Amino acid sequence: MKLLEERIRKDGVVKPPDILKVDSFLNHQIDPILIREMGREFKRLFEGEGITKVITVEASGIAIAIEAAAEMGVPLVFAKKSRSRNIANDVWTAKVFSFTHGNTNDIVISKQYLSQGDRVLIIDDFLANGEAVRGLVSLCEQAGAEVKGVGIAIEKGFQPGGKELREKGFRIESLAIIESMNGETGEIVFRS
Ligand code: G4P
């Protein structure tokens, strides 16, 4: 998506060795016009899949996911990160390790809001190692819901998540895929 690539080039900041900061338009301050366009693009890409529900993980995925859900006219459910040791038995739960932050979170979705018969679109802001998406896929499997696609704002193509998930047969649509980035010069190369 040209609009997103241009914005990343203009306002993204490469933090060596491999982090892209997009706090000025996506991860802290949010550009509502940009994320609305992203939601429209996800609708265009996944139209025809009969999506009944959009899911994401708190926090940064929610804004983009809500635009996609609104465009599609379906509910958004965000998995909560749980710090409590006692996970209730009325929730689906999975462990998600964050390579970037070096910690593990339990993510949970109430059984009430994800169940058999749901045709799910998973949305997230970043795809790096794929841990978050794998956790969300696990919740869907437990629920007997069908994952019809995965929509990502920014995929770091030099990290393995996207490749591994595509090899498993998931339809992954990333609005911008970064082939490489240079922490010293700030240069970002997109996959065409
Ligand atoms: P994954 O997202 O593919 O599982 O990979 P990883 O374990 O490396 O990512 C952990 C967290 O770091 C995720 O956020 C992810 O969105 C974020 N992240 C990964 N690479 C980058 C990057 O280059 N730039 C930025 N800004 N974020 C990155 P999270 O733990 O779910 O936190 P939240 O911000 O959604 O609350």
Side-chain angles (χ1 to χ4, degrees), residues 4-23:
L4 179 60
E5 289 185 4
E6 282 165 10
R7 192 59 179 272
I8 293 168
R9 262 196 224 292
K10 181 167 160 278
D11 292 330
V13 178
V14 181
K15 291 273 177 201
D18 59 7
I19 295 292
L20 175 69
K21 296 291 278 184
V22 289
D23 280 6

Side-chain angles (χ1 to χ4, degrees), residues 3 8 46 54-55 77 85 118 133 158 166 182 191:
L3 194 64
I8 293 168
F46 291 102
V54 172
I55 70 170
V77 180
R85 292 231 180 139
D118 273 326
V133 172
F158 53 89
R166 287 185 182 96
N182 186 322
R191 191 176 292 174

Side-chain angles (χ1 to χ4, degrees), residues 4 8 13-22 27 98-101 124-130 133 152-166 172-182 188-191:
L4 179 60
I8 293 168
V13 178
V14 181
K15 291 273 177 201
D18 59 7
I19 295 292
L20 175 69
K21 296 291 278 184
V22 289
N27 281 162
S98 164
F99 286 92
T100 305
H101 300 125
D124 211 354
D125 57 340
F126 272 92
L127 175 58
N129 291 292
V133 172
I152 299 291
I154 304 172
E155 176 177 341
K156 291 155 84 186
F158 53 89
Q159 287 182 245
K163 186 167 181 284
E164 287 170 8
L165 288 159
R166 287 185 182 96
I172 316 279
E173 298 283 356
S174 300
L175 302 185
I177 303 183
I178 296 174
E179 200 64 79
S180 64
M181 43 190 209
N182 186 322
I188 296 170
V189 177
F190 293 100
R191 191 176 292 174

Side-chain angles (χ1 to χ4, degrees), residues 12-157:
V13 178
V14 181
K15 291 273 177 201
D18 59 7
I19 295 292
L20 175 69
K21 296 291 278 184
V22 289
D23 280 6
S24 64
F25 60 95
L26 209 57
N27 281 162
H28 194 11
Q29 173 169 262
I30 294 177
D31 179 338
I33 308 296
L34 177 67
I35 63 164
R36 181 169 297 166
E37 289 305 320
M38 289 163 66
R40 286 184 181 148
E41 183 64 5
F42 284 130
K43 182 196 176 183
R44 192 186 66 76
L45 288 165
F46 291 102
E47 217 158 30
E49 295 286 1
I51 303 296
T52 62
K53 203 155 273 185
V54 172
I55 70 170
T56 188
V57 193
E58 65 176 346
S60 308
I62 294 175
I64 306 163
I66 205 163
E67 293 296 338
E71 289 292 330
M72 293 179 186
V74 299
L76 159 67
V77 180
F78 63 93
K80 297 189 178 189
K81 290 176 179 163
S82 165
R83 256 162 258 111
S84 89
R85 292 231 180 139
N86 302 320
I87 305 274
N89 59 10
D90 56 353
V91 296
W92 310 116
T93 176
K95 288 204 182 302
V96 174
F97 175 70
S98 164
F99 286 92
T100 305
H101 300 125
N103 60 355
T104 299
N105 283 298
D106 289 302
I107 60 165
V108 303
I109 287 183
S110 168
K111 290 180 181 174
Q112 215 181 331
Y113 303 128
L114 185 64
S115 52
Q116 200 165 12
D118 273 326
R119 297 166 65 89
V120 174
L121 173 62
I122 293 173
I123 296 275
D124 211 354
D125 57 340
F126 272 92
L127 175 58
N129 291 292
E131 289 292 311
V133 172
R134 269 192 289 272
L136 290 168
V137 167
S138 166
L139 300 184
C140 290
E141 286 170 352
Q142 292 167 51
E146 214 181 328
V147 178
K148 300 306 292 179
V150 179
I152 299 291
I154 304 172
E155 176 177 341
K156 291 155 84 186

